[in-house]
């Protein structure tokens, strides 16, 4: 397989980033929200309409997002449209059956070469579980022309294929659910995450392995799609296998599925995380912060404990022991 030289790849990425910035969409500043929790929506308008200033911004509050309240904006007139929800939702004060469905700021003028933010507060109901995506269609009108950022991708499709995608928020498990339990197990929605660890590396090494045990206690599959570690430039999920007496390693394309009731263990000699472009050497006894990213449970903070070079199991906690 032909490999693209690193310099050419970097140049291509810079060109792509410049093009994306030039044609930036309306977007939400906060990319994650949790069920049964407040959400502060900040709609960012990144440009006008072919040089024309923006004079009106309207956001649709989707079903399942309740109690929306807009923040007034100096120089702009504020209007809301209320309506009935499809069903009652729990709130801090019992249940609610109606609320704000549309928020509109108008009468101001945002020049094409400036950006601004339009803010509202709302509550994400339990209609959305971890892994869901919520779309907030936005209308942007200018002195001449306008945009409708309202396209929602079909199931399994990518928003990058859309011309005018609606701003979106990914639902993740609440912080309390992701916190470590006294036993050291991290709960993230239906997932139990145990003993994230890595191995110390010699000075100058550019890669390090990462290992963890993940159990799906729910009724729907989830997928591990990525990982980060503080000393690493990037992380990948890798498989390891023997072919003709030769150990071969390859990235796991599309992520690693954890089926309902299944426990998947990433460990030396098998499935594992590979952290590349190290900027420092993990040292025995240290802990290194990182994240695991799942399709449903979202981004989960974890801490990788550092075991000795060549270790086949995580180091025992102080006062404990483990078998080699």
């Amino acid at each position: 397989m032909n490999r693209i030289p690193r310099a050419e790849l970097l140049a291509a990425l810079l060109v792509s980033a410049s093009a994306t910035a030039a044609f930036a969409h309306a977007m939400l500043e906060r990319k994650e929200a949790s069920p049964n929790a407040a959400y502060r929506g900040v709609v960012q308008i990144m440009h006008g309409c072919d040089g024309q200033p923006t004079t009106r911004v309207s956001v649709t509050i989707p079903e399942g997002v309740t109690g929306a309240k807009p923040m007034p904006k100096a120089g702009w007139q504020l209007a809301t449209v209320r309506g009935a929800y499809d069903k009652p939702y729990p709130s801090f004060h019992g249940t609610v059956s109606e609320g704000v469905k549309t928020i509109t700021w108008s009468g101001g003028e945002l020049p094409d070469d400036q950006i601004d933010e339009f803010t509202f507060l709302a509550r994400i109901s339990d209609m959305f579980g971890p892994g869901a995506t919520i779309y907030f269609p936005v209308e942007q009108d200018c002195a001449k022309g306008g945009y409708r950022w309202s396209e929602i991708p079909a199931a399994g499709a990518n928003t990058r294929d859309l011309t005018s995608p609606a701003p979106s928020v990914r639902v993740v498990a609440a912080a309390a659910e992701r916190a470590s339990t006294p036993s050291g197990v991290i709960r993230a929605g239906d997932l139990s995450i145990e003993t994230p660890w890595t191995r110390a590396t010699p000075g100058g090494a550019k890669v390090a392995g990462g290992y963890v045990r993940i159990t799906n206690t729910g009724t729907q599959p989830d997928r591990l799609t990525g990982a980060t570690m503080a000393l690493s430039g990037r992380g990948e999920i890798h498989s390891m296998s023997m072919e003709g007496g030769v150990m071969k390693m390859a990235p796991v394309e599309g992520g690693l599925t954890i089926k309902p009731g299944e426990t998947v263990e990433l460990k030396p000699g098998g499935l594992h995380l590979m952290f590349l472009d190290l900027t420092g050497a993990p040292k025995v006894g240290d802990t290194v912060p990182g994240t695991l990213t799942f399709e449903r449970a979202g981004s989960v903070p974890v801490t990788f404990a550092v075991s000795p070079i060549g270790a086949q199991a995580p180091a025992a906690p102080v006062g404990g022991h483990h078998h080699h």
Side-chain angles (χ1 to χ4, degrees):
M1 180 176 68
N2 295 330
R3 294 185 177 274
I4 301 174
R6 188 178 181 86
E8 292 183 22
L9 178 60
L10 179 59
L13 290 174
L14 288 173
V15 170
S16 175
S18 299
T20 300
F23 296 99
H25 305 308
M27 60 187 69
L28 285 163
E29 184 265 337
R30 300 195 175 198
K31 305 298 185 185
E32 294 184 347
S34 296
N36 290 318
Y39 173 69
R40 184 172 183 266
V42 181
V43 179
Q44 297 178 321
I45 299 298
M46 309 302 290
H47 60 76
C49 311
D50 297 323
Q52 296 295 313
T54 299
T55 58
R56 176 181 173 273
V57 174
S58 184
V59 57
T60 297
I61 307 300
E63 181 69 24
V65 178
T66 64
K69 295 182 179 180
M71 182 179 292
K73 189 171 186 62
W76 296 74
Q77 299 170 2
L78 181 60
T80 59
V81 175
R82 296 179 62 88
Y85 299 139
D86 290 348
K87 65 176 185 177
Y89 293 96
S91 72
F92 293 114
H93 307 289
T95 60
V96 292
S97 56
E98 66 171 33
V100 171
K101 307 296 285 280
T102 305
I103 301 170
T104 301
W105 294 265
S106 62
E109 185 170 290
L110 174 61
D112 175 61
D113 61 351
Q114 297 179 21
I115 65 171
D116 208 343
E117 298 177 336
F118 299 79
T119 303
F120 64 91
L121 296 177
R123 180 176 175 80
I124 307 299
S125 75
D126 59 4
M127 169 180 167
F128 303 100
T133 301
I134 308 174
Y135 296 91
F136 292 79
V138 170
E139 296 181 358
Q140 176 188 0
D141 288 332
C142 299
K144 293 182 180 179
Y147 296 106
R148 296 296 179 263
W149 309 110
S150 58
E151 291 184 281
I152 297 174
N158 197 310
T159 56
R160 287 177 293 187
D161 299 328
L162 302 179
T163 303
S164 302
S168 63
V169 173
R170 185 170 181 80
V171 179
V172 300
E177 296 179 64
R178 297 196 297 254
S180 294
T181 64
S183 64
V185 177
I186 300 170
R187 294 287 301 177
D190 292 328
L191 301 180
S192 294
I193 302 168
E194 302 174 64
T195 325
W197 66 286
T198 186
R199 294 190 284 203
T201 62
K206 291 300 181 183
V207 298
Y211 315 103
V212 66
R213 179 183 174 91
I214 305 168
T215 300
N216 186 346
T217 62
T219 59
Q220 298 185 56
D222 206 337
R223 187 187 304 270
L224 177 65
T225 58
T228 67
M229 190 173 72
L231 297 175
S232 168
R234 57 194 174 96
E236 297 178 351
I237 307 164
H238 280 209
S239 64
M240 188 172 285
S241 61
M242 292 290 294
E243 292 185 20
V246 178
M247 184 72 75
K248 293 192 175 182
M249 186 168 60
V252 177
E253 301 295 340
L256 178 62
T257 298
I258 302 102
K259 299 175 183 177
E262 181 181 44
T263 295
V264 174
E265 187 167 6
L266 283 70
K267 59 185 179 181
L271 288 166
H272 61 280
L273 302 173
M274 181 61 75
F275 295 111
L276 303 102
D277 303 331
L278 294 184
T279 58
K283 295 180 175 58
V284 176
D286 286 353
T287 56
V288 186
T291 61
L292 300 177
T293 302
F294 298 91
E295 194 171 64
R296 288 181 55 79
S299 180
V300 182
V302 297
T303 300
F304 293 93
V306 184
S307 292
I309 294 175
Q312 295 300 304
V318 176
H321 69 280
H322 69 272
H323 299 286
H324 296 282

